Amino acid sequence: DPVQWLVEGTVVWGDADSPDPYEMQTPPAGDIDDGVLSAIAYCSDWPVSCARLFLRRVGVYFAHTRPFYSFRHNLVILLFFSPLYGLAIVGLWATRRHPLTVLSLAVVGVHTAVTGLTHVDWDGRYLTYVFPLITLYSGVGIAVIASSYRAPHAVSVLGSTGKRSAS
C-alpha cells in the first residue's frame, strides 16, 4: 500500500525476510487512510520529509546496490553503472533536441517518479524497464566521445550529402 509505505518511510520493499535497510524515520501520520488524498495531505504537512524520502528512493533505484548483496556484487554494479550513467548523460546531451530523446526522458522520468512515489523493489528489477534506454544513450555517448577523438586530417567515408564518396 503506497500510503502505508509513505507513512512508514519504506524505501526498499519486497524482501519479507529482512527489514528495509534504507527505511527513513518519518513524522507521525495521525489519522490517515489508504486514499491518495491522505497521501497528498500528509506530504503537504511534511514536505521536506516526503521530498527526502522521494530522493532516497530515486537514489537507491539508480544506485542499484543493496546492503544484502556481497561486496563483490555491489562493486561490479558500481564499476558497470557509473560509466554507463556518465556516457548516457553525454548521449542525452548530444541528442537533447531530438523528439525521441524527449520521449525517452519522459519514459525514464515517469518510471522514476512512480518508483520515487511508491518504493524500490528489493531486487532492483524496476530499473530493468528503463535500462535499455540508458544503454542506448550510453552507446550514443561512446559515439560522441569517439568522434571527438578522430584525427583532424582523417577523411570521412560519407560526404556532406550522406552518400558514399567515390574512392
Side-chain angles (χ1 to χ4, degrees):
D1 173 27
V3 177
Q4 182 181 356
W5 297 326
L6 170 68
V7 171
E8 292 176 356
T10 302
V11 177
V12 176
W13 179 84
D15 184 12
D17 295 334
S18 61
D20 179 1
Y22 300 102
E23 188 171 275
M24 291 181 57
Q25 282 295 113
T26 52
D31 189 25
I32 194 166
D33 62 20
D34 291 338
V36 174
L37 293 177
S38 291
I40 292 170
Y42 181 81
C43 288
S44 67
D45 289 343
W46 306 104
V48 174
S49 179
C50 291
R52 286 182 61 230
L53 178 60
F54 180 89
L55 292 174
R56 182 175 284 189
R57 287 172 175 167
V58 169
V60 170
Y61 174 65
F62 282 111
H64 205 60
T65 58
R66 301 290 184 269
F68 44 82
Y69 291 169
S70 70
F71 173 78
R72 277 183 162 161
H73 189 160
N74 282 326
L75 182 64
V76 167
I77 288 170
L78 288 173
L79 292 174
F80 179 76
F81 277 85
S82 298
L84 195 72
Y85 289 147
L87 290 166
I89 290 169
V90 170
L92 287 165
W93 183 257
T95 60
R96 65 189 176 276
R97 291 186 178 87
H98 194 281
L100 289 178
T101 300
V102 174
L103 177 63
S104 297
L105 282 172
V107 168
V108 172
V110 167
H111 278 278
T112 302
V114 168
T115 300
L117 291 170
T118 57
H119 67 276
V120 179
D121 193 62
W122 73 276
D123 63 1
R125 73 181 120 176
Y126 294 166
L127 191 62
T128 60
Y129 297 114
V130 298
F131 190 69
L133 293 172
I134 293 168
T135 57
L136 172 73
Y137 286 98
S138 296
V140 172
I142 290 171
V144 167
I145 292 169
S147 70
S148 70
Y149 285 107
R150 188 174 51 205
H153 64 277
V155 178
S156 176
V157 176
L158 298 176
S160 61
T161 61
K163 297 178 183 174
R164 279 204 171 276
S165 56
S167 314

